[in-house]
Amino acid sequence: MEKIQAAEALVNVLTDWGVDHIYGIPGSSTNSLMKALKKNEDKIKYIQVRHEEGGALAASVDAKLTGKIGVCFGSGGPGHTHLINGMYDAKFDKIPMLVIAASTHSKNLTADYFQEMDPIPLYTDVSVYNKMVLNPIELPRVIDQAIRTAYRDRGVAVVHVPVDIGYAEIENTYTSSANAFEPTLPQHRQEDIHKALELIKEAKRPVLFAGRGTHHAREELKAFSEKFKLPVILTFLGKGAMDDAHPNLMGQLGRLGSKPSMEAVEKTDLLIMIGAEYPFGRDYFDQSVKSIQVNIDPVSLGKRLPSTLGIMGDSKAVMRDLVELGEEMPETNWLKANQINRVNWLNWIHTLEDSNEYPMRPEPIMKALNLLADDDAIFIIDVGNNVILSSRELMFTGKQKHTTSGTFATMGIGLPGGIAAKLSYPEREVFTLSGDGAMAMMMQELITQVKYKLPIINLVMANDSYGFIQVAQETENNETFGVDLLEVDYAKFAEAMGAKGYTARTYEEVYAAIEDAKKQDLPTVIDIKIANITHLPGHALVLDSENFSEESIEEFIAKFNVKEMPVLRAVSYT
């Protein structure tokens, strides 16, 4: 019987599951794994990141964009602790990830040896599977089980592998379960469809709130909204499930969202939540409003809002049945008013995009991206004010892909995420959008982009501030502290790292830099110097005279340059 090292058996299981690249940094405790990866270079590509956090974030983005498990590894001690941030991003956004946590020789475990630590408790909270292998024969089986569990539970699986376990020779007999694994979706009950249709029929002001669980159901989402005359709000991770230009789409909700979305949620008498798990639900949803909630995860039903009707099922199948069995609703004044509210909002947004202020506002950057980006481009949106800009102004058609650190909201996901996007979709154009605060978190991963010749276009919107937090401090403390940032020449940094750098201070310079960056065969960084502005707070509108004084409203309008945007109840739809 042929014998192979256990680490080779580990790699064989990975490739059986369709894993074609893995992120990490070598250390002495990873030597057996590195030997196996080198032996299998034709089947799996090792990506040398410059920080284990970057590798974990890239693995998380792999899974978010492709639906396939993302894989990374770290060496004993510091490598373990460096991985944790990216692991929590995967946990919070409920995506499958495998982490191979290498350890010192098994004889040194519990001996207070160099870089020896107990990693099991470190990863207990972040993981859905967390095992140490001390019998080399079990290594391929444990890896196989870890991957199945990560897919099933939509979370992080961790396998701890002492270096000597990887070197040990075992019989090459293990057959993975990859071919036998079939992801399943819960089947909804037909009686729930009829109950949902009754609730929709009774509602006067229904709103459809959809999340990333509807990306595979674009046609059904559109048909459902149109047949039942539903204004639609998408979570940020759900953006793109309906065309941004569709008249029924109100945008996103909350601080990053739009005025029409907030007003629609405030006035609704039936909230239909489909494929969405919204962490701010208790902040923005009237907890007494009727709701229909559809999700494949039973834990999400009623989690953010008490559910009048909870349906455990696939969004595509549920909406398809609702459309097929329901009667078409007549045109409603409710939908018309919301549509006009949305048009007013977009018209106001366009005035900001056409601004020629200096220092430049950030909105014209989004205008340039809408004009120049390929229609199937991928956008990795780092955390900060650029999430607000992307939410409100990038006009998606369903061909694009995008992601961010949604619920954990860690800064620094931009550059590692760009690596993942380009590796998984080498033929597609990839943009990363970061503020200067987020860029500095993981800027070393530009070296990784250069090393692997990945022509990613990295935009840095530099306002010399942690702008998102600055506004929070101004709101809560009436002063700021610790949020100012030193100005950095990111174009010069890019050149020093082997990439191509640009500096832009006007719309024309941004447009020209993006045009040129699209022609390059190496990574590019566009350092865009922008004004440190405060964005209109979509969650805290001071516009309705029923709730605020005229003085407060006038101050709000002047501060945010609000024009021709009456509140929803005052919208004329005749």
Side-chain angles (χ1 to χ4, degrees):
M1 181 65 67
E2 178 195 9
K3 288 195 172 185
I4 60 174
Q5 291 187 347
E8 292 178 55
L10 178 161
V11 172
N12 288 341
V13 173
L14 293 182
T15 58
D16 281 352
W17 280 92
V19 176
D20 58 12
H21 59 269
I22 180 173
Y23 306 95
I25 295 178
S28 58
S29 57
T30 69
N31 283 345
S32 55
L33 175 61
M34 298 308 294
K35 182 178 180 181
L37 289 172
K38 180 173 177 55
K39 189 170 182 178
N40 290 274
E41 282 183 290
D42 58 327
K43 294 191 290 185
I44 186 169
K45 186 172 186 177
Y46 161 60
I47 303 299
Q48 181 203 69
V49 291
R50 301 311 291 262
H51 194 294
E52 287 93 348
E53 180 182 341
L57 287 170
S60 180
V61 171
D62 269 335
K64 292 179 186 184
L65 292 176
T66 69
K68 293 167 53 179
I69 194 164
V71 185
C72 61
F73 68 84
S75 59
H80 291 165
T81 55
H82 285 170
L83 288 165
I84 199 79
N85 209 47
M87 294 168 70
Y88 267 103
D89 178 65
K91 170 190 167 75
F92 273 57
D93 282 348
K94 298 181 180 178
I95 53 95
M97 177 193 286
L98 173 66
V99 173
I100 301 168
S103 295
T104 184
H105 195 290
S106 58
K107 70 180 181 181
N108 298 321
L109 297 177
T110 73
D112 294 332
Y113 194 71
F114 177 71
Q115 291 189 328
E116 185 261 320
M117 58 176 288
D118 185 357
I120 297 291
L122 174 69
Y123 295 139
T124 296
D125 177 67
V126 75
S127 63
V128 296
Y129 186 93
N130 187 19
K131 302 283 187 181
M132 178 173 283
V133 179
L134 293 176
N135 180 351
I137 296 173
E138 291 296 300
L139 182 55
R141 184 195 64 81
V142 172
I143 292 291
D144 199 28
Q145 179 71 19
I147 294 172
R148 286 202 308 271
T149 305
Y151 273 121
R152 184 195 67 188
D153 296 344
R154 297 188 301 149
V156 181
V158 187
V159 178
H160 305 271
V161 186
V163 64
D164 57 306
I165 298 298
Y167 278 130
E169 289 199 339
I170 62 174
E171 291 185 353
N172 186 20
T173 58
Y174 188 78
T175 301
S176 79
S177 63
N179 290 334
F181 181 82
E182 184 67 36
T184 58
L185 296 170
Q187 299 297 310
H188 61 274
R189 298 180 302 183
Q190 208 60 24
E191 57 263 37
D192 286 339
I193 298 297
H194 297 290
K195 291 177 183 178
L197 290 171
E198 283 299 315
L199 287 167
I200 294 170
K201 187 175 181 180
E202 293 168 3
K204 303 297 182 185
R205 299 178 303 280
V207 167
L208 174 53
F209 186 87
R212 63 184 170 128
T214 60
H215 273 295
H216 69 303
R218 278 178 49 81
E219 292 305 314
E220 290 78 8
L221 182 66
K222 179 175 179 287
F224 183 43
S225 168
E226 291 176 350
K227 185 164 188 174
F228 296 100
K229 309 302 182 285
L230 301 169
V232 178
I233 300 169
L234 297 174
T235 65
F236 185 65
L237 290 178
K239 183 179 171 70
M242 175 179 271
D243 288 2
D244 277 295
H246 194 288
N248 289 7
L249 182 63
M250 301 296 108
Q252 279 73 65
L253 186 65
R255 180 174 169 184
L256 60 82
S258 70
K259 170 183 174 289
S261 292
M262 199 70 218
E263 291 179 324
V265 160
E266 289 174 344
K267 300 297 183 184
T268 186
D269 61 358
L270 177 66
L271 191 62
I272 307 166
M273 297 180 65
I274 299 186
E277 208 283 90
Y278 184 60
F280 301 106
R282 293 186 181 275
D283 297 325
Y284 304 138
F285 300 153
D286 178 351
Q287 296 295 296
S288 65
V289 75
K290 290 182 178 180
S291 72
I292 300 168
Q293 300 182 31
V294 180
N295 209 293
I296 61 172
D297 180 7
V299 176
S300 295
L301 298 174
K303 184 176 181 180
R304 310 296 184 179
L305 174 71
S307 57
T308 309
L309 174 63
I311 303 176
M312 198 168 85
D314 172 44
S315 64
K316 186 180 184 78
V318 170
M319 288 190 289
R320 182 185 61 234
D321 281 2
L322 289 169
V323 170
E324 287 180 358
L325 297 175
E327 296 180 9
E328 182 153 3
M329 300 288 286
E331 294 292 331
T332 66
N333 289 339
W334 166 248
L335 178 60
K336 290 178 183 176
N338 277 281
Q339 288 174 334
I340 294 170
N341 206 24
R342 170 69 168 170
V343 170
N344 292 341
W345 168 263
L346 290 176
N347 288 340
W348 175 70
I349 288 289
H350 293 328
T351 66
L352 302 179
E353 292 175 347
D354 293 334
S355 166
N356 58 4
E357 296 177 28
Y358 190 87
M360 74 177 294
R361 292 184 62 96
E363 292 87 356
I365 302 168
M366 301 296 111
K367 177 182 177 181
L369 285 171
N370 283 328
L371 291 171
L372 292 173
D374 291 351
D375 62 3
D376 66 346
I378 300 173
F379 296 87
I380 309 301
I381 315 298
D382 220 324
V383 172
N385 278 342
N386 38 282
V387 176
I388 299 176
L389 290 161
S390 304
S391 166
R392 296 176 180 181
E393 302 189 51
L394 285 181
M395 300 298 286
F396 285 176
T397 64
K399 297 179 182 179
Q400 301 92 340
K401 283 181 176 287
H402 82 291
T403 196
T404 187
S405 179
T407 309
F408 196 52
T410 179
M411 290 194 295
I413 199 169
L415 267 65
I419 294 166
K422 199 64 181 177
L423 289 171
S424 293
Y425 299 94
E427 303 305 316
R428 293 174 69 167
E429 193 170 70
V430 175
F431 291 88
T432 74
L433 279 62
S434 304
D436 42 352
M439 176 67 173
M441 289 275 187
M442 282 281 113
M443 60 196 293
Q444 68 269 28
E445 295 309 329
L446 183 65
I447 307 171
T448 309
Q449 294 184 6
V450 171
K451 179 180 177 71
Y452 294 101
K453 300 179 174 61
L454 302 175
I456 298 163
I457 303 173
N458 303 285
L459 275 63
V460 184
M461 287 170 271
N463 62 353
D464 300 337
S465 173
Y466 290 120
F468 199 86
I469 302 306
Q470 176 183 325
V471 172
Q473 287 190 6
E474 289 170 348
T475 302
E476 297 176 23
N477 301 348
N478 295 317
E479 61 181 356
T480 64
F481 184 72
V483 294
D484 55 306
L485 298 174
L486 186 69
E487 183 177 351
V488 173
D489 188 338
Y490 286 103
K492 188 175 289 186
F493 161 75
E495 298 286 345
M497 296 301 106
K500 184 173 177 60
Y502 308 81
T503 301
R505 290 183 171 82
T506 66
Y507 170 76
E508 292 75 18
E509 290 175 350
V510 170
Y511 191 99
I514 295 174
E515 267 195 319
D516 192 66
K518 286 166 66 74
K519 303 171 186 175
Q520 303 302 317
D521 59 0
L522 75 168
T524 54
V525 174
I526 305 176
D527 183 9
I528 309 172
K529 306 301 186 184
I530 60 172
N532 185 21
I533 67 163
T534 299
H535 295 276
L536 181 144
H539 66 311
L541 302 169
V542 184
L543 293 171
D544 194 336
S545 60
E546 288 188 350
N547 302 317
F548 302 98
S549 68
E550 288 299 328
E551 181 181 1
S552 297
I553 293 171
E554 288 175 6
E555 181 181 339
F556 186 88
I557 288 173
K559 180 176 182 178
F560 297 106
N561 197 25
V562 176
K563 296 178 180 178
E564 299 179 4
M565 281 203 298
V567 295
L568 177 59
R569 64 180 178 81
V571 169
S572 173
Y573 46 79
T574 55

